[in-house]
Amino acid sequence: MNDHQNRRLKLIMISATFGGLLFGYDTGVINGALPFMARADQLHLTPVTEGLVTSILLLGAAFGALLCGRLADRYGRRKMILHLSFLFFLASLGTALAPNVSIMAVFRFLLGLAVGGASAMVPAFLAEMAPHEKRGRMVTQNELMIVGGQFLAYVFNAILGVTMANTGHVWRYMLALCAVPALMLFASMLKVPESPRWLTSKGKKSEALRVLKEIREDKRAEAEFREIQAAVEKDTELKKASLKDFSTPWLRRLLLIGIGVAIVNQITGVNSIMYYGTQILKESGFGTKAALIANIGNGLISVIAVYLGFGWSEK
């Protein structure tokens, strides 16, 4: 792979992983915004509406992950990520300008659709663009961008919360900042080509080969193109999966392992800290400013842990 092809591949990786950065930033920013948003002169949130505003993003993310995968198969990975960047931008401004809880909940749900769509499409897009020896590294870097986005959210929350503590609507600035990486995602994805695998599946074989030659040496691009063609043809012959397939012992075992990993990941309470860290610290005796600053440590530890895991996975 020559320098031009290597730079092109790095551009694709950085551009797509802005989706992961948005994922992290938009899930983490509510942590610092809640204490200010909940005030009586702002949205006057009760414990119930605090939970609604926070959790409805996750509901939207579930629908987004479910729906956007099919849409990406129909319209293309790049095009869907571009549309998601616009949705990120629109929903970020909507939450920042929301006059009441109802409007806030609607735009938080839309933001969740974008978060879920990005979580499903960005890793798939990266995997389809990366050469096999770099595939794991490129997809894992998206995870680093997610926790990096959360860390940035905590940092900016602390900066704004400390310097503008007497400004009641400071939470609006916190939420509006989410629009910046959305614009960066949109602008960077304009320079990125479509996935060769998707192009091949739609019969655009010459375009798929051209894209591969932009990021691979010619001989390797042609060999990989033939592999993609064979895989796409094989996929068309596969029968649609059903619940009956889980009667196969090894497949059922994989399903149960996957469910177990997801449960263990959640029962640690990590999401409680992610979304309510500032509130928890306040209840523990910290002032709002001190809680916002201390919460940065949570984001920093996440970044360090993912970075270490990233390094160990390479060994």
Side-chain angles (χ1 to χ4, degrees), residues 31-37 39 154 157-166 170 174 277-296:
N31 190 315
L34 271 179
F36 300 98
M37 190 190 301
R39 291 177 178 176
Y154 300 153
N157 284 347
I159 293 172
L160 291 173
V162 171
T163 59
M164 302 176 66
N166 296 324
V170 62
M174 294 176 180
T278 303
Q279 301 285 65
I280 292 170
L281 289 171
K282 282 184 64 181
E283 293 296 323
S284 301
F286 285 71
T288 301
K289 293 181 181 180
L292 286 168
I293 294 171
N295 200 53
I296 294 174

Side-chain angles (χ1 to χ4, degrees), residues 39-113:
R39 291 177 178 176
D41 61 336
Q42 296 301 311
L43 297 189
H44 193 52
L45 300 181
T46 65
V48 173
T49 52
E50 275 191 31
L52 173 66
V53 166
T54 303
S55 63
I56 200 167
L57 181 140
L58 302 178
L59 179 63
F63 282 103
L66 183 65
L67 297 175
C68 288
R70 293 188 178 185
L71 292 175
D73 287 340
R74 178 175 295 183
Y75 299 110
R77 283 72 161 127
R78 174 183 175 272
K79 185 178 289 186
M80 284 303 301
I81 293 175
L82 278 169
H83 283 107
L84 284 178
S85 67
F86 178 74
L87 183 57
F88 270 119
F89 180 77
L90 177 67
S92 296
L93 293 184
T95 57
L97 298 173
N100 53 52
V101 173
S102 299
I103 300 299
M104 173 63 76
V106 169
F107 280 106
R108 285 280 292 174
F109 180 81
L110 293 176
L111 195 59
L113 289 177

Side-chain angles (χ1 to χ4, degrees), residues 3-314:
D3 290 340
H4 172 73
Q5 291 164 339
N6 195 42
R7 286 195 300 270
R8 187 71 171 148
L9 191 60
K10 285 182 179 179
L11 172 65
I12 291 169
M13 182 196 70
I14 294 170
S15 300
T17 53
F18 271 120
L21 183 73
L22 275 162
F23 180 153
Y25 198 102
D26 287 319
T27 53
V29 71
I30 196 68
N31 190 315
L34 271 179
F36 300 98
M37 190 190 301
R39 291 177 178 176
D41 61 336
Q42 296 301 311
L43 297 189
H44 193 52
L45 300 181
T46 65
V48 173
T49 52
E50 275 191 31
L52 173 66
V53 166
T54 303
S55 63
I56 200 167
L57 181 140
L58 302 178
L59 179 63
F63 282 103
L66 183 65
L67 297 175
C68 288
R70 293 188 178 185
L71 292 175
D73 287 340
R74 178 175 295 183
Y75 299 110
R77 283 72 161 127
R78 174 183 175 272
K79 185 178 289 186
M80 284 303 301
I81 293 175
L82 278 169
H83 283 107
L84 284 178
S85 67
F86 178 74
L87 183 57
F88 270 119
F89 180 77
L90 177 67
S92 296
L93 293 184
T95 57
L97 298 173
N100 53 52
V101 173
S102 299
I103 300 299
M104 173 63 76
V106 169
F107 280 106
R108 285 280 292 174
F109 180 81
L110 293 176
L111 195 59
L113 289 177
V115 166
S119 70
M121 275 186 287
V122 170
F125 180 73
L126 289 172
E128 291 178 359
M129 298 299 287
H132 66 83
E133 72 275 9
K134 295 184 178 181
R135 190 165 296 146
R137 183 180 184 86
M138 284 181 65
V139 174
T140 305
Q141 282 181 339
N142 185 58
E143 301 301 316
L144 187 60
M145 290 291 276
I146 291 172
V147 294
Q150 291 171 351
F151 175 65
L152 286 176
Y154 300 153
V155 170
F156 284 116
N157 284 347
I159 293 172
L160 291 173
V162 171
T163 59
M164 302 176 66
N166 296 324
T167 305
H169 53 267
V170 62
W171 61 272
R172 297 188 185 274
Y173 294 108
M174 294 176 180
L175 299 180
L177 278 176
C178 300
V180 176
L183 289 174
M184 295 172 70
L185 175 63
F186 180 82
S188 61
M189 286 301 294
L190 289 175
K191 301 178 181 179
V192 170
E194 183 54 86
S195 158
R197 184 181 179 91
W198 183 84
L199 290 169
T200 302
S201 70
K202 298 301 178 182
K204 301 178 180 181
K205 298 180 180 179
S206 60
E207 190 175 348
L209 182 57
R210 179 186 60 78
V211 171
L212 279 171
K213 287 185 176 181
E214 289 181 14
I215 53 178
R216 309 279 197 277
E217 294 177 350
D218 286 356
K219 288 185 178 179
R220 181 169 183 179
E222 290 168 2
E224 189 169 329
F225 175 65
R226 289 192 293 270
E227 292 175 2
I228 292 173
Q229 275 188 301
V232 168
E233 289 172 4
K234 187 176 181 180
D235 286 346
T236 59
E237 299 171 359
L238 293 175
K239 294 181 180 179
K240 190 175 181 180
S242 67
L243 291 175
K244 292 181 180 179
D245 294 327
F246 289 112
S247 61
T248 307
W250 68 268
L251 191 59
R252 185 169 61 249
R253 191 179 306 115
L254 286 178
L255 174 66
L256 293 175
I257 290 173
I259 292 173
V261 170
I263 291 173
V264 170
N265 189 39
Q266 298 305 310
I267 63 175
T268 60
V270 62
N271 282 343
S272 300
I273 301 298
M274 185 195 309
Y275 297 116
Y276 299 106
T278 303
Q279 301 285 65
I280 292 170
L281 289 171
K282 282 184 64 181
E283 293 296 323
S284 301
F286 285 71
T288 301
K289 293 181 181 180
L292 286 168
I293 294 171
N295 200 53
I296 294 174
N298 174 42
L300 181 60
I301 292 298
S302 295
V303 171
I304 293 172
V306 172
Y307 184 78
L308 290 175
F310 179 59
W312 290 332
S313 67
E314 292 295 304

